[in-house]
Amino acid sequence: MAADRDPLDGRLGGDRLGGSRVGGGRRGSGSLVPARLRCGDVLRVGGSGLRARPLRVFLSALGIAIGIAAMVSVVGISSSSRVDLDRRLAALGTNLLTVQPGTRLDGGEATLPVEAPEMISRIAPVREVAAAGKVADATVYRNDRIPEVETRGLTVQAAALDLPRTVGTEVTEGAWLNEATARYPAVVLGAAAADLLGVAPGVDVYLGGRWFSVVGVLAPAPLAPELDNAALVGWAAAKSYLDFDGHPTTVYTRSLDSAVESVADLLAATANPAAPGEVLVSRPSDALVARQATEEAFTGLLLGLGAVALLVGGVGVANTMVISVLERRAEIGLRRSLGATRGQLRLQFVAESLLLSALGGVAGALLGVLVTTAYAATRGWPTSVPPWATLGAVAATLVIGALAGLYPAMRAARLAPTQALAAP
């Protein structure tokens, strides 16, 4: 007669299921050695329980996967944004300082001396200086038929010739001002201004009550966003055609990286020796870093939502395992009758729960990486998913799986063979 196979480990098991082993294995007279489950046996038994209920397993694993994907993608998107910011700061430089007029003691608006850019350039560590001055009562329009009140927030500024290089931007269309065009009615538009006006180089715009020819369009300037909404004309042209008074409203400086802090301490007194308290000195790169910190504050909230989704998935796993125990009482009773110990039953159901959670965890980690990659690609960011995020997410699912399967496993182990076999 063919030998029976042990459903727990697949071996010839007529003797092992009864708790003994042919040719030995007895601890003493009348004492039987319980059968042992190896790791491969545990995985086979746990996997067979999952394969028998594919739809329920899929839905439970999906709950885990959603929570893990949410957590991994949130961490990945935040990390990708931070890497992009670091890359941009490395390209733009963190050594840009700006000098602007503040307020006088009587509450009025202060002004910078006309000589401020030249005096600042005498500071030894300063390598580049460029100034821009807002032209009062001058606005730019697409043509001379647009009402004066429709300024769209655009400004007109006189610009030094080395302004783009100093602030870290470039011309995307046309050309920047030069020694010749800076003396005539020529204008370069900031990125946002060109979009609002809908013009390109070679088109005339109505600026300050007369026509100016557009000769170029600037790229966005992250460290000087005020230039994006400006129409920039040459310093000499602003004085000749727009009654510009020559006082700069912003002086941009580049200095040695090692001397940024010391230069910042000297700028106010150098720009306006008579009233240094009326001068504002700022570091534009700090604004980008502050914005990144604000975005990271929301990351904590999103991680909390991901944790809730993960908890819901864990409840789904626990529910699946409890129902599995109820449906398989006859199987549990049969295994107990054939010699399976309570520890082996506990191990079987915990293994099923861990396998179920591992499926959801791995799938969720992969989905989170895909979401991060897709989102980073749409924003032009480099993809960065910290290894600890994916490994930690999978580890979290295993912990949740162990906890979710613990109670059902203990419940299965407590069933007496006669009680389990009597179940309908």
Side-chain angles (χ1 to χ4, degrees), residues 118-127 262-263 266-268 270-271:
E118 182 180 355
M119 292 189 294
I120 291 174
S121 65
R122 296 173 184 171
I123 301 176
V126 173
R127 291 294 176 261
S262 59
V263 170
L266 297 173
L267 282 176
T270 304

Side-chain angles (χ1 to χ4, degrees), residues 125-140:
V126 173
R127 291 294 176 261
E128 297 179 24
V129 178
K134 184 176 180 181
V135 180
D137 301 327
T139 52
V140 57

Side-chain angles (χ1 to χ4, degrees), residues 197-223:
L197 295 174
V199 298
V203 178
D204 291 344
V205 293
Y206 196 66
L207 191 157
R210 64 172 300 149
W211 293 97
F212 275 66
S213 179
V214 178
V215 296
V217 175
L218 287 179
L223 296 183

Side-chain angles (χ1 to χ4, degrees), residues 308-342:
V308 172
L310 185 59
L311 179 61
V312 172
V315 172
V317 172
N319 182 58
T320 297
M321 298 310 300
V322 169
I323 294 177
S324 180
V325 170
L326 295 177
E327 291 179 344
R328 297 160 66 185
R329 294 178 66 182
E331 175 191 339
I332 294 170
L334 178 61
R335 294 192 176 189
R336 292 282 285 121
S337 299
L338 293 177
T341 66
R342 291 184 176 182

Side-chain angles (χ1 to χ4, degrees), residues 204-389:
D204 291 344
V205 293
Y206 196 66
L207 191 157
R210 64 172 300 149
W211 293 97
F212 275 66
S213 179
V214 178
V215 296
V217 175
L218 287 179
L223 296 183
E226 63 276 4
L227 299 181
D228 294 342
N229 294 297
L232 304 168
V233 300
W235 208 271
K239 290 182 177 180
S240 301
Y241 302 106
L242 303 174
D243 297 327
F244 176 51
D245 59 9
H247 290 276
T249 51
T250 306
V251 180
Y252 303 92
T253 70
R254 292 275 186 181
S255 58
L256 296 175
D257 292 338
S258 58
V260 172
E261 300 299 333
S262 59
V263 170
D265 294 336
L266 297 173
L267 282 176
T270 304
N272 192 353
E278 298 177 358
V279 179
L280 300 178
V281 178
S282 62
R283 191 173 182 177
S285 57
D286 290 343
L288 294 180
V289 175
R291 186 178 67 183
Q292 177 69 22
T294 302
E295 293 176 354
E296 290 179 356
F298 288 99
T299 300
L301 174 62
L302 296 177
L303 283 176
L305 296 177
V308 172
L310 185 59
L311 179 61
V312 172
V315 172
V317 172
N319 182 58
T320 297
M321 298 310 300
V322 169
I323 294 177
S324 180
V325 170
L326 295 177
E327 291 179 344
R328 297 160 66 185
R329 294 178 66 182
E331 175 191 339
I332 294 170
L334 178 61
R335 294 192 176 189
R336 292 282 285 121
S337 299
L338 293 177
T341 66
R342 291 184 176 182
Q344 290 170 346
L345 287 174
R346 283 195 297 267
L347 184 60
Q348 172 190 343
F349 282 93
V350 169
E352 285 189 27
S353 180
L354 287 174
L355 287 173
L356 179 57
S357 299
L359 288 175
V362 172
L366 293 176
L367 180 60
V369 172
L370 291 176
V371 170
T372 300
T373 302
Y375 185 82
T378 60
R379 301 296 298 271
W381 298 345
T383 301
S384 174
V385 181
W388 63 263

